[in-house]
């Protein structure tokens, strides 16, 4: 797939086929992440590839988070990002994706380092999501599950030396979501040309 087509085709996928993902493809995607730029070339990212019972437990917990978080959505559907019941259904099983990738970075109490680690690891996440599209897979960058960080840390045995940056399901999309409209598609407001 052509590079700009990959960029434009990437969507946050919240419904997957249950077909397994080849280890070779997972590694290809993680290799793309590993080639991201990083502050001071620190390459601070790490990845947990989660499936089976552990993934099931992660989903049950995320389902509870979304249930709580979306309590007011039925009363204000115009404010809702998607129908409440659909969002809970997705969260409970991570959209039936066969695997979930948890992205970690180095933890730091120094704000400058923390920022650099998060920025660098975010570049890796975007590489990963774009590579997924290029091999016919999909993902969804998520930070919502971090609302119950302790649960994740205990379940996945994540040490205090690591920060959880995001979680993405990974699998073959079972849906083709409409693109979310751009706020400034012609870039007349978001770009200023200076000379
Ligand atoms: C930092 C970050 C956090 C996000 N957290 C969540 C999340 O917790 N749950 C979720 O369903 N989507 C999450 N998303 C996905 C966004 O909702 C999505 O990117 C946005 O609506 C645009 O849709 P698109 O990705 O299909 O273009 C997150 C995206 C980013 C970049």
């Amino acid at each position: 797939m052509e590079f700009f087509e990959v960029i434009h085709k990437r969507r946050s996928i919240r419904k997957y086929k249950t077909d397994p993902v080849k280890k070779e493809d997972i590694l290809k995607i993680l290799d793309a992440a590993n080639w991201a730029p990083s502050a001071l070339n620190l390459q601070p990212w790490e990845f947990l590839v989660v499936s089976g019972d552990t993934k099931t437990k992660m989903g049950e917990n995320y389902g509870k988070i979304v249930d709580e978080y979306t309590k007011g959505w039925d009363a204000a559907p115009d404010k809702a990002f998607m129908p409440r019941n659909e969002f809970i259904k997705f969260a409970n099983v991570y959209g039936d994706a066969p695997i979930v990738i948890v992205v970690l970075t180095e933890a730091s109490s120094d704000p400058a380092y923390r920022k650099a680690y998060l920025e660098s690891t975010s570049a890796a996440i975007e590489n990963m999501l774009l590579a997924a599209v290029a091999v016919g897979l999909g993902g969804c960058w998520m930070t919502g599950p971090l609302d119950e960080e302790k649960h994740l840390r205990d379940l996945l045995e994540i040490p205090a030396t690591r920060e959880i940056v995001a979680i993405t399901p990974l699998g073959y999309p079972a849906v083709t979501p409409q693109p979310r409209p751009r706020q400034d598609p012609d870039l007349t407001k978001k770009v200023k040309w200076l000379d």
Side-chain angles (χ1 to χ4, degrees):
M1 205 185 296
E2 193 255 330
F3 179 74
F4 288 96
E5 197 186 345
V6 169
I7 299 238
H8 290 122
K9 271 204 160 166
R10 186 211 54 78
R11 297 272 80 74
S12 289
I13 303 298
R14 297 186 180 84
K15 201 168 186 341
Y16 298 84
K17 296 175 185 165
T18 50
D19 306 5
V21 178
K22 282 188 258 152
K23 188 170 180 187
E24 181 191 321
D25 282 338
I26 300 171
L27 284 171
K28 208 177 213 174
I29 289 163
L30 295 178
D31 177 64
N34 203 29
W35 277 95
S38 61
L40 299 166
N41 192 27
L42 289 168
Q43 304 177 29
W45 44 73
E46 282 177 23
F47 308 94
L48 305 177
V49 181
V50 185
S51 60
D53 285 350
T54 311
K55 194 207 76 172
T56 305
K57 286 181 190 150
M58 282 178 66
E60 285 164 2
N61 194 256
Y62 185 38
K64 282 186 210 147
I65 293 172
V66 170
D67 187 19
E68 189 58 39
Y69 181 74
T70 57
K71 282 257 150 72
W73 282 22
D74 287 341
D78 53 317
K79 299 270 183 315
F81 145 84
M82 67 193 280
R84 179 170 190 255
N85 61 339
E86 269 180 43
F87 197 13
I88 296 171
K89 211 165 124 191
F90 155 66
N92 262 321
V93 290
Y94 278 100
D96 279 333
I99 64 165
V100 165
I101 297 181
V102 180
V103 186
L104 308 178
T105 196
E106 294 271 336
S108 179
S109 52
D110 176 328
Y113 267 90
R114 180 167 185 250
K115 188 166 180 270
Y117 291 145
L118 291 172
E119 287 165 340
S120 306
T121 304
S122 295
I125 297 170
E126 182 64 358
N127 269 15
M128 180 170 84
L129 293 175
L130 294 176
V133 175
V135 297
L137 294 163
C140 181
W141 186 328
M142 293 194 295
T143 53
L146 309 191
D147 281 4
E148 292 217 11
E149 197 174 326
K150 188 175 175 334
H151 174 269
L152 284 172
R153 283 191 177 275
D154 291 348
L155 181 68
L156 305 172
E157 298 178 9
I158 298 169
T161 53
R162 298 289 179 274
E163 177 158 3
I164 310 170
V165 185
I167 293 178
T168 176
L170 188 74
Y172 293 97
V175 288
T176 310
Q178 284 301 307
R180 309 298 299 275
R182 296 299 94 188
Q183 289 172 7
D184 181 24
D186 303 326
L187 297 174
T188 49
K189 297 182 204 83
K190 286 187 184 279
V191 178
K192 195 181 265 182
W193 302 80
L194 305 171
D195 53 21

